[in-house]
Amino acid sequence: MKLTNVRLYDGLVYKDPTKKYSVTIEEGRIGEVIEGELPSKTEDVVDGMERVLSPAFHDSHMHFLRYGLMKRELDLRHVESWEEMKNEVHEYYPKMEEGDWVVGRGLDDSNFKDRQDLLTGKDLDELHLHTYMFFLHQDGHECVVNHKVLDLLKEEDEFKDIPDAFKETDDHGEWTGRFKDSAVHYIKHHFRGRSSDDAKEAIKQGIPHMLKHGITTIHTDDLNFIGSYDRLWTAYSGLEKEGELPIRVYLHHYIFKKEHLQDFLERHPHRTGEGSDHVKVGAVKIFLDGTQRLHTSAMRIPYKDQPDTTGNLIYSQEELNELIRLASENRMQVAMHAIGDKAVEQAITALEQDEARTNTYHHRIIHAQTLGEDLLYRLGKIKPTIETQPSFLMGEWDQKEKWVGEDLAPYCDAFKSIINHDIPYTLSSDLPIGSIDPFEGMFAAVNRTDLSGRPEGGWQPQEKLTVNEAYRGYTSMPTLIELNEPHNSGSISAGERADFILLDRHPLEVASDDLNNIRVVETWHDGKKVYSV
């Protein structure tokens, strides 16, 4: 098949909105790319109607299974009061299978109109449901559970290893039912196991949303939402065998202890980048700190609005160094969640070890929302990939300086500085926390405002990206971390796999504040159309 009368854009070679091209698609690969048009009435020639042909998008950081489950479980993102939440739960409860948990996601009780304080386990007992209840905050870093879950946790020896800073207590030292960060991940991982069939249905719910937004490759941390890497692998592989997985998936393995990594290495034969055509092992996922909203991300100086704390590091430097060495010795890439500058510094020190082989395995630091000149210099020398989530800026820009102070604010979400120091980067969503739409992520990276244009001129405007730089963050840059993957450079060139999209407008023709309104009109995967408007 040949597509003619298309314009090309990849943020690399093809940038001219006026030129028209013809592209041959052969056996799932891009063949000849020539300038000019072909007679559209010729057999096997399809008129592209001057649409913009671009490489399909890669999202390097998300929680896809969680996103799919939100399509089936209780979604609380729209709930604005405790009374409304109680009504939602009571309506949802009869639809549950007997013995299952009541699970709500997207909770933001800090904005409830009918109460000043946050929910606790005692509040959940007002629901009078004699089952386990778990409600997850919209950013995924905080939860509230009821007394039945607290009783489970009290019997868990391994839960005692979670830092106490992540377990909220009352004036008597008793758990309130609110937990943060690693404690949240523990609860999700240990008590909410699902079957592979259940996971498959959730994944199928999410796939059309990926294709609608032109995403055909994802890197996803799903383990906490199924409880078993074996079941997770079986779910995705089963869909691939059934011909129902029109995306490529890299499956991360979340660990908290060295023993978790050792268990994975003993039980699973594949290493990062290995697997089938569509399902591959991703990175070892490690949380180094928490989040700025909760003041649990690890900082080198105290928080401006909470000067009695600098946040929390989960590991000692020696413990992290050992984890990185063990992973690298076994051909596993590592992706470290590090938001505060102290956590980023800890990640850098671990990656500076010769045994880390960062140049070989392209280890990753997720978020890196607070940096500094010294950290940028060190990152530029070892070159791990920094995975950014620009859409977070839309809801956090007016809080940053309150958290870190005026002096450190210029090093928050320092996208341009990362590029200027020649540090590899990606743009990603952290779905379902951030926006699924890559064009919203690009909008935030290029404008550094929310969708209403605030603040005028952009927050810390020196860190704005160009459209080309932002686009590459979703196309060519993520391919650097996709190991053992031939025909995969995120470009439009002969021999590349034919994962591409058609856009209604050229990104360089629209105003920067209109980037988020560009739409994908077709998505192609392996040379086959899998979505069209």
Side-chain angles (χ1 to χ4, degrees):
M1 187 197 75
K2 297 177 181 177
L3 273 171
T4 193
N5 192 24
V6 291
R7 298 179 290 162
L8 303 184
Y9 178 66
D10 59 5
L12 285 165
V13 176
Y14 299 105
K15 302 175 186 177
D16 188 341
T18 65
K19 289 186 178 180
K20 299 177 184 178
Y21 294 85
S22 298
V23 180
T24 301
I25 310 299
E26 299 174 333
E27 298 181 351
R29 297 274 184 265
I30 292 176
E32 190 177 20
V33 179
I34 61 172
E35 188 173 341
E37 298 180 57
L38 299 173
S40 58
K41 294 182 179 180
T42 306
E43 185 178 357
D44 245 11
V45 174
V46 177
D47 185 355
M49 297 183 290
E50 298 187 12
R51 290 170 173 166
V52 180
L53 188 151
S54 159
F57 296 131
H58 301 231
D59 193 319
S60 63
H61 179 62
M62 66 165 58
H63 308 273
F64 186 51
L65 181 56
R66 176 183 168 193
Y67 178 74
L69 289 168
M70 287 182 72
K71 303 300 179 184
R72 305 171 56 209
E73 297 182 344
L74 187 56
D75 187 350
L76 299 174
R77 286 176 292 182
H78 65 286
V79 171
E80 297 181 344
S81 70
W82 174 222
E83 284 301 315
E84 185 181 357
M85 177 174 166
K86 286 191 285 187
N87 291 335
E88 292 268 337
V89 172
H90 280 297
E91 182 179 349
Y92 169 74
Y93 183 64
K95 303 174 186 176
M96 292 171 44
E97 293 184 13
E98 186 176 353
D100 200 359
W101 289 43
V102 174
V103 175
R105 306 179 187 280
L107 173 68
D108 188 3
D109 50 347
S110 64
N111 287 323
F112 279 1
K113 297 176 179 179
D114 56 354
R115 59 186 300 150
Q116 299 299 315
D117 56 337
L118 300 177
L119 296 176
T120 66
K122 290 182 179 179
D123 293 312
L124 299 188
D125 291 338
E126 291 182 23
L127 293 164
H128 302 297
L129 301 180
H130 302 291
T131 188
Y132 303 101
M133 286 185 273
F134 171 91
F135 298 100
L136 187 66
H137 191 274
Q138 62 181 3
D139 68 6
H141 284 271
E142 190 176 18
C143 73
V144 58
V145 301
N146 69 337
H147 74 279
K148 285 183 70 70
V149 179
L150 290 176
D151 290 341
L152 281 178
L153 292 172
K154 290 172 184 177
E155 301 299 320
E156 290 288 312
D157 289 336
E158 196 172 2
F159 192 68
K160 298 173 183 176
D161 296 331
I162 303 293
D164 288 338
F166 300 149
K167 307 167 185 174
E168 184 179 279
T169 57
D170 60 21
D171 293 338
H172 304 289
E174 298 294 326
W175 292 340
T176 66
R178 291 190 77 90
F179 297 99
K180 303 173 184 178
D181 298 312
S182 292
V184 178
H185 305 317
Y186 183 94
I187 297 168
K188 290 185 297 185
H189 179 68
H190 285 77
F191 300 128
R192 296 251 39 243
R194 293 176 175 81
S195 69
S196 293
D197 287 342
D198 201 24
K200 283 169 67 175
E201 290 304 311
I203 293 164
K204 286 162 66 174
Q205 290 282 326
I207 286 174
H209 300 272
M210 296 292 108
L211 302 179
K212 176 182 177 180
H213 292 286
I215 302 166
T216 62
T217 300
I218 65 172
H219 299 243
T220 181
D221 175 13
D222 290 348
L223 186 57
N224 284 334
F225 301 95
I226 190 170
S228 162
Y229 199 84
D230 288 335
R231 290 198 298 272
L232 185 67
W233 189 270
T234 298
Y236 280 100
S237 298
L239 289 174
E240 180 183 20
K241 292 174 183 175
E242 294 161 15
E244 295 191 64
L245 192 68
I247 57 175
R248 286 182 174 82
V249 181
Y250 289 80
L251 299 177
H252 290 344
H253 188 282
Y254 167 65
I255 67 167
F256 179 64
K257 289 182 168 184
K258 176 182 175 182
E259 290 76 14
H260 298 157
L261 177 55
Q262 290 172 325
D263 179 68
F264 174 84
L265 295 173
E266 291 172 4
R267 291 169 56 87
H268 297 279
H270 298 308
R271 299 296 180 253
T272 299
E274 298 175 355
S276 64
D277 185 44
H278 282 71
V279 184
K280 300 178 186 295
V281 172
V284 176
K285 174 77 177 291
I286 308 174
F287 279 83
L288 304 192
D289 67 348
T291 182
Q292 288 177 320
R293 180 183 67 83
L294 298 172
H295 300 90
T296 52
S297 61
M299 303 294 295
R300 297 192 287 189
I301 60 175
Y303 281 88
K304 182 180 179 182
D305 60 340
Q306 198 166 316
D308 60 339
T309 185
T310 57
N312 306 92
L313 283 175
I314 296 173
Y315 301 95
S316 69
Q317 189 67 60
E318 182 179 353
E319 289 173 325
L320 182 61
N321 289 353
E322 186 177 8
L323 285 174
I324 300 301
R325 290 196 300 267
L326 179 60
S328 300
E329 288 165 0
N330 288 276
R331 309 193 317 278
M332 290 296 295
Q333 185 183 79
V334 175
M336 291 175 281
H337 166 112
I339 288 181
D341 55 357
K342 190 173 183 179
V344 175
E345 183 176 50
Q346 186 184 54
I348 292 171
T349 299
L351 295 179
E352 286 173 335
Q353 301 176 97
D354 290 339
E355 299 92 332
R357 301 182 65 188
T358 302
N359 287 337
T360 300
Y361 294 115
H362 298 281
H363 298 307
R364 305 142 76 158
I365 299 177
I366 306 167
H367 307 307
Q369 288 184 332
T370 315
L371 296 171
E373 282 297 334
D374 61 322
L375 302 181
L376 287 163
Y377 173 76
R378 292 170 68 186
L379 287 167
K381 292 183 68 177
I382 58 174
K383 299 190 186 310
T385 297
I386 306 299
E387 297 181 10
T388 71
Q389 297 75 39
S391 68
F392 287 2
L393 269 177
M394 295 180 182
E396 294 183 346
W397 66 267
D398 58 345
Q399 301 295 315
K400 294 282 187 177
E401 194 168 316
K402 296 177 185 178
W403 293 331
V404 307
E406 183 179 354
D407 292 341
L408 200 51
Y411 293 100
C412 290
D413 301 286
F415 308 144
K416 192 69 169 185
S417 293
I418 288 170
I419 292 177
N420 289 342
H421 283 78
D422 198 26
I423 302 165
Y425 68 97
T426 68
L427 274 59
S428 59
S429 66
D430 204 354
L431 192 72
I433 301 166
S435 172
I436 186 176
D437 186 356
F439 285 108
E440 279 199 21
M442 292 180 219
F443 173 98
V446 170
N447 296 288
R448 293 183 72 89
T449 70
D450 60 25
L451 293 176
S452 300
R454 298 178 304 132
E456 186 177 355
W459 185 76
Q460 300 296 336
Q462 76 279 0
E463 295 298 334
K464 291 180 179 180
L465 297 188
T466 67
V467 174
N468 290 331
E469 290 166 341
Y471 208 85
R472 295 197 295 268
Y474 281 107
T475 53
S476 57
M477 294 304 297
T479 67
L480 299 176
I481 55 178
E482 294 166 2
L483 307 182
N484 304 320
E485 181 63 67
H487 315 293
N488 178 42
S489 66
S491 65
I492 304 166
S493 55
E496 285 290 288
R497 65 190 189 202
D499 285 13
F500 61 88
I501 54 181
L502 294 178
L503 306 175
D504 64 349
R505 288 180 290 170
H506 197 290
L508 297 183
E509 279 188 325
V510 303
S512 64
D513 60 1
D514 199 29
L515 277 170
N516 59 303
N517 292 316
I518 296 176
R519 292 291 174 259
V520 175
V521 295
E522 291 183 12
T523 301
W524 292 64
H525 174 69
D526 281 342
K528 299 177 182 177
K529 187 190 300 184
V530 291
Y531 167 81
S532 63
V533 292

